[in-house]
Amino acid sequence: MDLNGEEPKESFIADIEKADPGVVTCLENRMHGFEDGDTVTFREIKGMTALNGNMCKIRVLTPYAYSICDTSTDQFAPYEHDGIATQVKVTSSTHFESLKKQLHAPALLTPDLSRFEAPGSIHLGICALHKFRELHGRFPNIRCNKDAALLEQLAEDVNSQMEQRVDSIDKNLIRNLSYTSQGCFPPLCAALGGIAAQEGLKALTGKFTPLKQWLHFDASEVLSGFENSDVQCFLPRQNRYDALRICIGEELCQQLCNLRIFMVGCGAIGCEMIKNYAMIGISTAEKGQITITDNDLIEKSNLNRQFLFRPHHIQKPKSTTAAQSALEINPDLQIEAQQYKVCPQTENSAYTDAFFTSQDLIVNALDNVEARRYVDSRCVVNQRALLESGTMGAKGHVQVIVPHLTESYSTQRDPPDEDVPYCTLKSFPATVEHCIQWARDKFESQFSQKPSLFNKFWSSHQSPLHVVEILQNGGTLDGSVQVSRLLERRPSDWDGCVALARLKFEKYFNHKAKQLLHAFPADTKLKDGSLFWQSPKRPPTPVVFSQKDVTHMSFVVTTARILAEMFGVNWNSQDLLPERIAQILAAVKVPEFRPSSKVIITDESVDKPEEDTVTGDELEDAAVRIQRVIGNSAGDQAMGWRFNHLKPADFEKDDDSNGHIDFITAASNLRAEMYSIDPADRLKTKRIAGRIVPAIATTTAAVAGLVTIELIKIVKKSPIEHYKNCFLNLALPVLVFSEPGAVERTVVKDNLSFTLWDKWEVRGHKDFTLQDFLNYFKGKHGFEVTMVVHGVRMIYVPVMPGHRKRLPQTLLKLIKPSQGKKYVDLVVSFESDNSEDIPGPPVRYYFS
């Protein structure tokens, strides 16, 4: 079986020592990512070629080196250069003990290391519960202390028969199990259901590591505080929430009914969250309200995991469709669907401070870090609890964020993803992923950015003759060079689109390779004497166009189709016939390669240039091109079509009829062919180019269930030790619960401290000056203000020239708030007792 489902890792080789064992060293600052005992295979090694195609079991020495087999023998020539090591997925078998044996000697996964004994106690409780039913023909009565005592005794009896006894049975767990055994807690069912479903898939597919052999976990923190509650609150009332009421009582059920929730995102996790809301009756009372927002439309690729959507919902809004589907589950839901983005642009319209403060809590169901950080910042400013979660394939996480108790989402930051150097994508790809990213960028540049620039240019400069006059007189117009080229090459018919596509083939996959080899011949050496063309740089080979090659023809046809859409050229199915394409291609004159003097960037630290520098000669050439187009056009009507607006392509990965993924697949695989890189299939290309985040229904169900459990704890106002952050990987399987990080407190001086959740308020008036503002802090807290900032604008910094002259001015004049603005949030720093600047908490200043 595939133990983890991860893509095999690859590592570029810098050196292989001829020794016993041989030691492989990676390229500088590039970790191999392998683990002890991994099996790897080698390819493209120069010198020690005997390793190519062989498999070796490795031992990791450092993150940058590992040992392999004995390479000291005559069989292995000295290593010269190049080489790639690829991890090999080795099949593994797993054996399980019988249920009969495991009942008395369970192999338990421990998800919460702070409650190490809990899984053993739960196991005893479940076994005792089955015994209880055998003896009494029923489950224990609801919150019956007598039955709870009987279950405790049965658990003790079961423990006495275990091969390894539990030292200290958690009697509170057993009692809660007795109290709730006739009930059902839907979010816990959802979490366990997702995990169990994944185990079933493992048995069917042989993919991922199966659970060995028991997983027990609980949500007993939800039951805390019910010890003295009236049993009547937990009894059935003959409605859909009876099973839930048995677990959490009527009072908490009513709190859930009246809850006001704002959920951002209605994708995979969002759909599962809405299902949980419907199942436990959240916002089903008049005072309750679920507000959901998502500005995306439903795509075909969503249907395999976003279960509220069906094929007939494709291209409909996610939020409104999810709301309609939720009402089919529970018609009593009070749910409002919106399609706005939660971003700075909607702060003063849809999602104001007043909106956030009207919510009881916020739930993130987002798929990108920046949006998560933004929502987190809004929750901190408005002091609202936030439930944060996410999935990637079999991995998932849950984070609980509670005002004044826990740290926020932005408190901890993952290291940024390493960007691929510009020169690698532009000229020196080393992997098929680089080729796919190049093709995706080429799509955006050719079919979206350039036509948009064309439209913007001619909207601003409506007279072509005037443009020519400006350029001929030495003036500059942004985009004029690119626009002039696009204008001159603009085809008028399908034949022209095919011809242009054929010329692009030659430019991208033949002339580009020849230019690189002209600039850096195969024997080029660096200053240290090493070869220029060595790993990870791969020398290109010009691709010679052939109508017999399926990929070559696919590139030409898909490029021509997208160009035709962009230029407004009509075509039909007959135009796609091979004989029709061949007829057009036969008439295309492909120019010979001419070396260019253009500089090729080889420094990996250099970023993509903002804009190409335009010379005077290029501006003159642009004027000539536009003049030529005007001159070649007979009459205004004939000339007009060339200046008609183009239709930029909006990349859509799920529409197989538009040719977008076909273009990127053909272009990336041709580039891979040019650099002798193994190609990628269409599915992998679509996943990478479409930036599809791997998501599976089992993980999203488990994560959403765990989030809903924490939501109920927030409603109960639980202490921090009852909340559980979670990281899980259902592939391994790993499930780890931990207490959220406590919020950090900053001490300004004795008896004065604050956390990120604190916000100081200052109430002024129309005549309130900057000096009054400074005096307020001097009088209230006894320290000097060293800086006042509003947004990106510095209001007061004493060392800045002229800032002290602002002291008599009113804050109303200095800040200049927009009409109707009642307050602003300021950043204020203070001088500590050690004469150091200390940033204080946000200061909300009210103008009246």
Side-chain angles (χ1 to χ4, degrees), residues 183-201:
C184 176
F185 191 45
L188 189 57
C189 293
L192 280 168
I195 296 167
Q198 189 63 63
E199 293 303 311
L201 290 172

Side-chain angles (χ1 to χ4, degrees), residues 76-148:
F76 298 95
Y79 173 81
E80 294 177 8
H81 57 84
D82 289 359
I84 300 172
T86 304
Q87 184 184 39
V88 177
K89 293 284 187 176
V90 179
T91 300
S92 174
S93 298
T94 302
H95 303 280
F96 299 91
E97 293 182 345
S98 67
L99 175 62
K100 182 178 180 180
K101 180 173 178 58
Q102 277 287 304
L103 283 171
H104 299 286
L108 299 168
L109 183 69
T110 304
D112 189 346
L113 295 179
S114 67
R115 300 174 64 230
F116 191 77
E117 297 289 341
S121 294
I122 297 172
H123 185 84
L124 295 177
I126 297 295
C127 291
L129 195 61
H130 284 281
K131 293 277 188 186
F132 188 102
R133 192 174 188 186
E134 287 177 18
L135 292 171
H136 302 283
R138 61 175 174 84
F139 286 123
N141 288 322
I142 301 166
R143 303 200 75 80
C144 174
N145 290 327
K146 182 179 177 182
D147 283 356

Side-chain angles (χ1 to χ4, degrees), residues 465-479:
L465 291 171
H466 184 57
V467 169
V468 172
E469 184 182 347
I470 292 173
L471 296 176
Q472 287 177 338
N473 291 331
T476 59
L477 294 173
D478 289 343

